[in-house]
């Protein structure tokens, strides 16, 4: 029996592209969303199970897990995509920022993994957990300190879970740098960002879709991080 793939934060952008692709490939898909973007209605119309979840505190995380478990007896994969790219310049309450970053990028994946391991065990063949981290796990980020630290925590969880759950459940990270700009990004920021990688392009969501497909179809990659960063580390 084939079980659904869960994608968190799939109401827009990369998560939405992943959900759309996996549905088109014939997978059952469950998503979490915070804002009911019109795209969520479209995913529901394509057969996705869409669960509202604002991961703002422990209770709401556990409520999501309970609702998720009411929808399925198993999971083929979990893609931890939900994220907030927040920074110190936009916050004066650093304690709150740090807690928020750690919650969405490390605590949410940790609690979902801890409480849904039994669902992954039901998968036919291999199951997968994929953590969306960030290139800055390697380098840190002077402008997104708490964000980068929280993504580094998520990267570390990938290694721990890979060792804990092998061989049945493969656990990997995907560490992108620029994939898609935000609508509010101005031309100066875009040009500056494009110069940071050797490839010098805004590659788009297809790069992450291809990386997810590689991991889902591999029988021998676990505990690793796929760097999808245009050679930024060599600039
Ligand atoms: N885009 C890029 O170029 C890069 C992306 N990445 C990583 O790839 C992944 C996807 O990136 P991208 O598509 O840009 O992500 P987004 O910034 O679009 O965020 C993805 C989703 O996370 C949801 N979310 C944020 N905070 C919460 C919360 N507290 N509770 C519930 N949901 C929440 C958002 O919901 P809502 O829609 O309601 O706001 C949003 O839909 C992320 O993990 C990101 O860090 C890494 C490097 C580069
Ligand atoms: N949750 C998000 N995380 C990140 C985003 C984003 O839009 N949402 N964007 C980036 C940048 O593209 C960065 O990689 C290059 O400036 C990083 N993380």
């Amino acid at each position: 029996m084939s079980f659904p793939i869960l994608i968190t934060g799939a109401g827009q952008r990369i998560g939405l592209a992943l959900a759309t692709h996996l549905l088109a490939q014939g997978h059952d898909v469950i998503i979490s969303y915070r804002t009911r973007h019109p795209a969520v209605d479209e995913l529901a119309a394509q057969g996705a199970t869409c669960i509202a979840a604002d991961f703002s505190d422990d209770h709401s995380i556990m409520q999501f897990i309970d609702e998720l478990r009411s929808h399925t007896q198993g999971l083929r994969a979990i893609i931890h995509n939900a994220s907030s790219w927040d920074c110190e310049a936009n916050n004066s309450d650093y304690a709150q920022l740090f807690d928020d970053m750690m919650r969405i990028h490390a605590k949410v994946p940790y609690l979902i993994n801890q409480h849904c391991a039994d669902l992954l065990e039901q998968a036919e063949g291999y199951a997968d957990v994929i953590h969306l981290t960030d290139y800055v796990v390697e380098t840190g980020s002077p402008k997104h300190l708490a964000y980068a630290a929280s993504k580094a925590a998520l990267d570390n969880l990938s290694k721990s879970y890979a060792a804990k759950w092998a061989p049945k459940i493969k656990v990997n990270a995907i560490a992108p740098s620029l994939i898609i700009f935000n609508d509010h990004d101005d031309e100066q920021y875009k040009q500056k960002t494009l110069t940071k990688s050797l490839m010098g392009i805004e590659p788009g969501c297809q790069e992450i879709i291809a990386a997810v497909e590689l991991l889902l179809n591999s029988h021998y990659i676990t505990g690793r991080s796929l760097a999808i960063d245009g050679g930024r580390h060599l600039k």
Side-chain angles (χ1 to χ4, degrees), residues 89-109:
N90 289 347
N91 292 269
S92 55
D93 186 342
Y94 299 139
Q96 187 64 58
L97 174 62
F98 192 86
D99 288 349
D100 290 348
M101 292 295 97
M102 282 296 174
R103 184 186 314 107
I104 187 64
H105 297 133
K107 195 171 197 177
V108 168

Side-chain angles (χ1 to χ4, degrees), residues 1-6 28-30 49 51 65-78 116 118-120 122:
M1 178 178 185
S2 67
F3 289 111
I5 294 176
L6 167 66
D28 291 327
V29 170
I30 300 176
T49 298
I51 302 174
I65 291 167
D66 289 344
E67 184 162 357
L68 168 69
R69 296 186 66 93
S70 74
H71 284 283
T72 188
Q73 303 298 310
L75 286 171
R76 166 64 185 81
I78 301 174
C116 296
D118 63 314
L119 300 182
L120 292 162
Q122 302 306 311

